[in-house]
Amino acid sequence: MTMAQWQTDGFRDRTDAGQQLAEALSSLRGQHPLILAIPRGGVPIGRIVADRLDGELDIVLVRKIGAPGNPEYAIGAVDEAGTIQQSDDARLAGADDRYIKREAAEQLAVIRARRQGYGLGHPPIDPAGRTVVVVDDGLATGATMRAALLAVRARKPARLVCAIPVASPRGLVSVTDVADDLVYLSAPGHFRAVGQFYMQFPAVDDSEVVHLLMRSPSGSPVPALSEDVRIPADGLLLDGNLQVPQGAHGLVIFTHGSGSSRHSPRNRLVAQAMHAKGKGLATLLFDLLSEDEARDISARFDIPRLTARLDAATRWAMHQPRTQALPIGLFGASTGAAAALVLAARYPMMIKAVVSRGGRPDLAGHGALARVQAPTLLIVGGADHEVITLNRSALSVLPCHAELVLVPNATHLFEEEGAIERVAALATSWFVQWLPDQSRGVTVGMR
C-alpha cells in the first residue's frame, strides 16, 4: 500500500481540514472519485473533498460498538450490512459475545434510521470498479474506519483510499492492511482525542449532514438523483446507473465501446455535464455485456447483440416512472455508436437524437445508416485519422441532419487535456438542441 503524510500542526475547523485533505488528494482530480464520508463528522470534510476533486459524495454508514460502561471507547463496529468488526481489546474491556451482539443490533437500528432520515433518494452508490475515498474528521482507535473500509472493499472498488486529517499511530496501524492507499495530514504521538487538533470542533447534527449531502459543488440543490438499476435483457440482468435531474426534459442512454462498461470515466464525465443546472438531461449508463460475455472479444463487436441490449434498455426506460415521458437520445462510443445508429434506424419515431464519440458507424452497415432520421452528431479526434475516414463516409450516407466535428489533436480515446470536456460540451449542446422539451410543448433548436 501507499502511505502519504503532509505534516500540519492542527486545523482551524473541519473546513480547513477538508481543504488541506483535498489538496493532498489532488492527484485524483479528473478520475471522478466516489467520496464516502463517515457521518457525522466526516461529512463536512467529504463535501469539500468531493467538490475540489470533481467527485461524487455519498456516506458509508458504520457505528462503533462501545465498551461496557464506557461507550466512547470503541471495541468494535458494525456496518450497514450488519457485519461486525471486533477489536483485540473487546475481551479485556469485559465484552462477551452476548454483549457485542446486543450492542451491534442497537447500532444497526441507528444506521438504518439514519439512511432513511437523511432522505438521500437513492440506495448507497455502487463503488464497484471505481476509485473510492473513505474520509472522516479523524482516526482514534480506527475501529469505525476499519469497518467502513471493509464494507466498501466487499463491494469491489478498483482502488480504495483511506483519507483523514489526523490520526493516532495506533489507528493508522489498524487500517493499513485494508486500504490500497492511506493519506493523512498528521499522526502525532501525543494523540489523546480527535478534537484536540481542531481549534473549533462543534458537533455535527443530522440537519447539517442532510444539507451537505443535498448540495452540489456550486451550492445549489443536487441536480440529479442517482439510482443503481438492473435491466433485464436476453435472460440476463445488466447493471446500470440512472440519474434524473429535477425538471428533466430528455433522457440520454449511453452505449459504451469495446472493452468498456458503465464505469467508463469518459462517459461518466460527459453524463455529469448533462446533469448541470439548466441542461435538463437525465442519463442512463449500463453494461451492454455480462462479465463473462465481456471476456469474449468477439462479443464486443457483435453489433446485433449490442443493439438488442440497447433496445432492451430503451424499452426498460420507457416504462420507468421517472423516465417514461422523456424523449430519448443515444450517446454511443466506438462500437456502441454502431448499435445506437442501428437502433435509431429501427425506431425513427422513438429515437430523437444521436451523438457518436469516436464511433464506428461503418459497423452499423450502409442500409441502417441510410434509414437514420434522428439528427446525428459525429465527434472524432482530430488525430484519429482512420476513424475520421470512416465517419466521413458515414456522413455521406446519413439522410438526416448530420454533422461531423473534429476535436483538434485528440486521439481515439480523447485522453488529451481538455479533449473529453470538449466532447461533453458538444454532446450536451446537441441533445439540448434536438430533444423536444415536452413540458413546454415545443422542440428546441429545430432548423
Side-chain angles (χ1 to χ4, degrees):
M1 80 173 300
T2 300
M3 297 180 68
Q5 178 184 8
W6 279 256
Q7 190 61 45
T8 182
D9 295 328
F11 312 98
R12 292 190 306 274
D13 51 23
R14 289 186 179 88
T15 298
D16 179 33
Q19 291 169 345
Q20 292 191 46
L21 194 60
E23 181 62 28
L25 294 163
S26 61
S27 63
L28 299 181
R29 189 174 292 113
Q31 298 183 33
H32 188 58
L34 174 59
I35 312 302
L36 295 179
I38 298 177
R40 302 181 180 98
V43 177
I45 290 172
R47 177 75 273 168
I48 293 169
V49 171
D51 292 354
R52 294 290 179 91
L53 301 184
D54 298 323
E56 192 173 11
L57 178 66
D58 199 1
I59 53 175
V60 53
L61 288 168
V62 292
R63 293 279 294 176
K64 68 182 179 184
I65 299 172
N70 186 7
E72 292 304 312
Y73 180 71
I75 58 170
V78 60
D79 65 27
E80 199 163 357
T83 303
I84 300 171
Q85 301 298 325
Q86 189 174 316
S87 75
D88 295 336
D89 295 343
R91 301 300 176 187
L92 295 175
D96 57 18
D97 290 342
R98 182 177 180 183
Y99 172 86
I100 290 173
K101 288 181 180 179
R102 183 179 70 248
E103 290 298 307
E106 291 183 6
Q107 297 306 324
L108 185 58
V110 173
I111 286 173
R112 290 171 175 166
R114 283 193 172 177
R115 169 65 66 179
Q116 183 175 3
Y118 289 150
L120 297 177
H122 62 74
I125 296 174
D126 187 4
R130 299 184 63 176
T131 295
V132 180
V133 183
V134 181
V135 303
D136 203 352
D137 54 12
L139 202 65
T141 67
T144 302
M145 176 60 78
R146 181 177 177 83
L149 292 169
L150 286 170
V152 177
R153 174 68 75 193
R155 300 183 69 188
K156 299 181 180 180
R159 179 182 177 191
L160 182 57
V161 181
C162 173
I164 53 272
V166 61
S168 70
R170 176 189 175 192
L172 290 178
V173 170
S174 73
V175 299
T176 53
D177 64 326
V178 187
D180 297 315
D181 300 286
L182 178 56
V183 177
Y184 59 99
L185 305 179
S186 179
H190 60 286
F191 190 103
R192 295 191 306 274
V194 172
Q196 80 182 93
F197 301 99
Y198 289 81
M199 294 177 62
Q200 299 178 29
F201 196 64
V204 179
D205 61 28
D206 284 340
S207 63
E208 183 177 357
V209 171
V210 171
H211 171 73
L212 291 168
L213 291 173
M214 298 302 291
R215 185 171 63 80
S216 71
S218 64
S220 58
V222 169
L225 293 179
S226 175
E227 177 185 1
D228 290 325
V229 299
R230 307 198 82 183
I231 300 168
D234 295 340
L236 301 171
L237 287 175
L238 304 176
D239 290 321
N241 179 261
L242 175 67
Q243 296 198 52
V244 184
Q246 291 183 351
H249 64 76
L251 169 66
V252 178
I253 302 177
F254 284 66
T255 55
H256 58 74
S258 172
S260 189
S261 72
R262 71 188 188 281
H263 298 301
S264 163
R266 287 171 285 277
N267 282 353
R268 293 178 71 92
L269 188 148
V270 174
Q272 289 300 315
M274 294 179 181
H275 304 152
K277 186 176 180 180
K279 305 305 180 184
L281 296 173
T283 60
L284 173 63
L285 285 77
F286 74 104
D287 293 337
L288 286 164
L289 301 172
S290 69
E291 290 186 6
D292 289 339
E293 290 174 324
R295 297 188 187 99
D296 179 4
I297 294 181
S298 65
R300 304 175 186 178
F301 291 84
D302 186 344
I303 304 305
R305 186 188 311 192
L306 301 184
T307 303
R309 303 294 168 78
L310 178 58
D311 192 334
T314 301
R315 293 182 178 280
W316 175 88
M318 292 175 66
H319 291 87
Q320 301 307 303
R322 289 198 290 158
T323 55
Q324 61 185 1
L326 300 179
I328 296 171
L330 303 178
F331 180 96
S334 189
T335 53
L341 288 164
V342 172
L343 196 71
R346 183 180 299 172
Y347 302 123
M349 300 300 293
M350 180 191 304
I351 306 304
K352 304 299 183 181
V354 177
V355 172
S356 164
R357 170 179 67 82
R360 291 290 308 275
D362 55 301
L363 296 178
H366 187 285
L369 292 176
R371 296 195 306 276
V372 175
Q373 299 299 313
T376 300
L377 176 64
L378 307 173
I379 306 174
V380 184
D384 195 5
H385 302 296
E386 182 178 352
V387 175
I388 291 174
T389 300
L390 295 173
N391 277 261
R392 282 177 173 160
S393 178
L395 187 66
S396 68
V397 177
L398 289 167
C400 55
H401 177 93
E403 297 179 17
L404 171 63
V405 176
L406 304 183
V407 177
N409 304 314
T411 51
H412 186 62
L413 294 179
F414 297 87
E415 295 176 306
E416 294 71 23
E417 183 176 359
I420 195 64
E421 288 79 5
R422 177 62 177 153
V423 171
L426 289 167
T428 301
S429 177
W430 190 263
F431 287 121
V432 169
Q433 179 178 8
W434 291 104
L435 291 184
D437 187 344
Q438 296 177 341
S439 68
R440 293 196 293 258
V442 300
T443 298
V444 179
M446 292 299 291
R447 305 182 196 179

